Amino acid sequence: MHKAHERSPGGAPGAIRHARAYELASALAFAGSRRRIFGRLVALAGVRVGDEVLDVGCGPGYLTSLAAQASPGGRAVGVDVSEQMVEEARRKRAGGNCSFVLGKAEALDLPDASFDVVLSSLAIHHIPEEARGQAFAEMFRVLRHGGRVLIADFQPPKGRLARHLVGAAAGETMRDNPVERIAPMLRDAGFDLGATTRVSWFLHCVRADKPL
Ligand SMILES: C[S@@+](CC[C@H](N)C(=O)[O-])C[C@H]1O[C@@H](n2cnc3c(N)ncnc32)[C@H](O)[C@@H]1O
């Protein structure tokens, strides 16, 4: 069985190519609460009218589109390393103040200090471990001073059976995801740490600010 977290031959490591299947799986996995949970992420990041928001590892763009709705007069840009994801996001959700670009989290082709908020959900564990520090440094670079970052990533379950099931279904990257390293890596990138929150049993969220 193909597991989304196994490195595919060719293409960027961590990229998910099956965009439509991912969109369907994501809607099912959230069991009717995707809007509420992703809406909570937008609220935790403090997205407001006029904000310019970047969603890193945006996939098919669900969170990006909620951020766009929360920032009329601003804009939301989703970036993803997978061409298929960017195509799907554009097909379903681009328009108005919501757009999508192809790019790597660890080498963003975006100007310094050009966003008020950076969001990222369920994407950090896809980025090769050796590139994660650089990805956080890039988020810091593209944020304005006083800007906010909100990182949400998969928190593996503690129980042995549940961990085994996650490993079997999604692979060891997800089963062993070291979410506790996110906060120190954000601090190393220069951020002031804010709250760490659990949004649902599987989403570990860290909020941090770029100093003024
Ligand atoms: C599990 S999906 C999450 C998508 C979306 N954020 C969500 O919450 O539904 C992870 C996404 O990260 C993207 N990705 C993986 N490595 C990346 C990288 N180095 N830079 C940007 N995106 C990356 C994948 O292509 C995929 O679309």
Side-chain angles (χ1 to χ4, degrees), residues 4-200:
H5 305 85
E6 282 168 356
R7 295 192 177 193
S8 51
I16 295 185
R17 287 171 298 152
H18 306 286
R20 290 192 188 187
Y22 176 80
E23 169 76 13
L24 182 64
S26 165
L28 291 173
F30 280 93
S33 52
R34 187 163 65 152
R35 190 177 181 93
R36 179 180 60 76
I37 290 174
F38 280 7
R40 179 105 195 276
L41 300 184
V42 171
L44 281 172
V47 176
R48 50 193 179 227
V49 172
D51 273 348
E52 300 193 86
V53 183
L54 179 68
D55 179 12
V56 174
C58 63
Y62 188 83
L63 179 64
T64 325
S65 72
L66 288 188
Q69 286 165 32
S71 57
R75 65 180 176 133
V77 179
V79 60
D80 201 285
V81 77
S82 157
E83 281 178 31
Q84 294 87 344
M85 283 294 191
V86 171
E87 267 172 32
E88 181 67 359
R90 285 182 177 149
R91 188 182 71 81
K92 287 196 80 158
R93 302 196 166 101
N97 65 341
C98 186
S99 63
F100 298 93
V101 294
L102 189 64
K104 273 190 181 172
E106 60 272 36
L108 294 171
D109 188 14
L110 294 164
D112 294 358
S114 50
F115 291 91
D116 302 292
V117 178
V118 171
L119 302 172
S120 181
S121 94
L122 294 169
I124 298 303
H125 67 276
H126 280 260
I127 299 170
E129 249 184 289
E130 63 278 11
R132 287 179 200 167
Q134 181 57 26
F136 291 131
E138 282 291 84
M139 293 177 189
F140 188 86
R141 181 183 66 76
V142 302
L143 270 175
R144 300 192 171 103
H145 289 284
R148 293 90 72 200
V149 64
L150 187 89
I151 305 293
D153 204 7
F154 182 76
Q155 166 99 52
K158 290 204 169 35
R160 275 185 62 186
L161 176 62
R163 283 173 59 80
H164 176 77
L165 291 174
V166 167
E172 60 191 40
T173 307
M174 212 153 158
R175 183 195 64 202
D176 301 330
N177 190 23
V179 284
E180 67 286 350
R181 292 198 201 138
I182 292 172
M185 289 182 93
L186 284 170
R187 200 182 42 228
D188 289 350
F191 287 101
D192 289 340
L193 288 181
T196 294
T197 319
R198 185 77 80 85
V199 176
S200 92

